[in-house]
Amino acid sequence: MSAQFAIQSLSLRKEFGKTVAVRGLNLEVPRGEVFGFLGPNGAGKTTSIKMFLGLVAPTSGNIRILGEEPAKTEIRSRLGFLPEHFRFHEWLTGQEFLTLHGRLYSIPSARLTARIEELLELVGLAEFRHKQLRTYSKGMLQRIGLAQALLNRPELVFLDEPTSGLDPVGRRLVRDIIRSLKTEGTTVFLNSHLLSEVEITCDRVAFIKFGEVLRVSSLSSLVDGETTLTARVHNLSPESLPGLSAWAKDIRLDGNTLHMVVLDEESLPAINRYLVESGAQVYAFSPQKMSLEDLFIQVVGMDGGL
Ligand code: ATP
């Protein structure tokens, strides 16, 4: 296994008694990528992340994190982690909480003070630094958790549902932070059910179900991929439909609504012209790219998870 990868797992398996949480997970995440980990509830995402972090021992299989065994302290000091279900020391203030975690990383005092300052500003909590965590809202706890995950300037950071408690402004903030981490060369491993967020931030995604990787897709392939066209047309005769097959497939007329998958976006004007020349009145003409949600349903299926 090679150090050019931030994460490598081979035939990774975890059983909890009779429950197989992860069965044969194969994954390679190159350094510097923002990688999304998608799957229905109970697919084994959190268990996999805990194994990558060396917090849960695999039943079998191999893992390399930054080219090394995950449980090594030296490796852990180069990782960051925002857990999905965090429970922080609520009697500490935001600043004390970050100081505690910085000391656990053995960050020298002067450097830690400067880093905490920087991170409190970054996550928008500078004015709440002396308030106890018990007074923080869920969104504020998630922000301070994110600051904690970045204290040591990790080479690889795992964010497990980082935006679940955040309002739209908070989500935008996390998105911007992930972008700037990517610019700095940090690998970000993002577990999220918010597909619209994933679509904007990730380079590639893995779809997992029942503890296995079903598919890995690059998000640019969505942008370059198929376009579906829905048009509202009146007086289109069914005899005109075969003529559309020069530009499209899966052509279907449902009352006044025409559906098709367009082979090449460049043919959209020709399709429009053809419809008009066939005597139809076109009231709406809406080409759409496949969304990550469409792809998720296509790969994972409608039955979802647990
Ligand atoms: P979600 O999207 O709902 O957070 P997930 O994909 O993160 O789900 P996991 O939390 O990894 O899924 O759980 C995978 C399976 O393993 C589930 O069936 C879960 O009940 C089981 N499981 C996870 N942790 C344990 C544990 N400590 N003991 C027993 N079973 C567990």
Side-chain angles (χ1 to χ4, degrees), residues 264-278:
D264 178 357
E265 251 184 337
E266 294 302 312
S267 46
L268 285 169
I271 294 172
N272 199 344
R273 210 166 31 243
Y274 176 83
L275 292 173
V276 174
E277 285 170 2
S278 306

Side-chain angles (χ1 to χ4, degrees), residues 16-17 19-22 39-48 50 84-85 160-161 191 193 208 306:
F16 293 106
T19 306
V20 183
V22 176
N41 293 126
K45 302 179 297 292
T46 298
T47 306
S48 302
K50 287 184 177 166
E84 180 183 10
H85 301 294
D160 198 350
E161 295 288 350
N191 178 15
H193 288 297
I208 82 159
L306 298 175

Side-chain angles (χ1 to χ4, degrees), residues 229-234 236 238 241 250-260:
L229 172 66
T230 308
R232 197 153 60 81
V233 287
H234 286 197
L236 177 66
L241 294 183
D250 303 338
I251 302 158
R252 189 161 50 85
L253 184 62
D254 262 348
N256 288 328
T257 309
L258 176 66
H259 304 272
M260 68 189 86

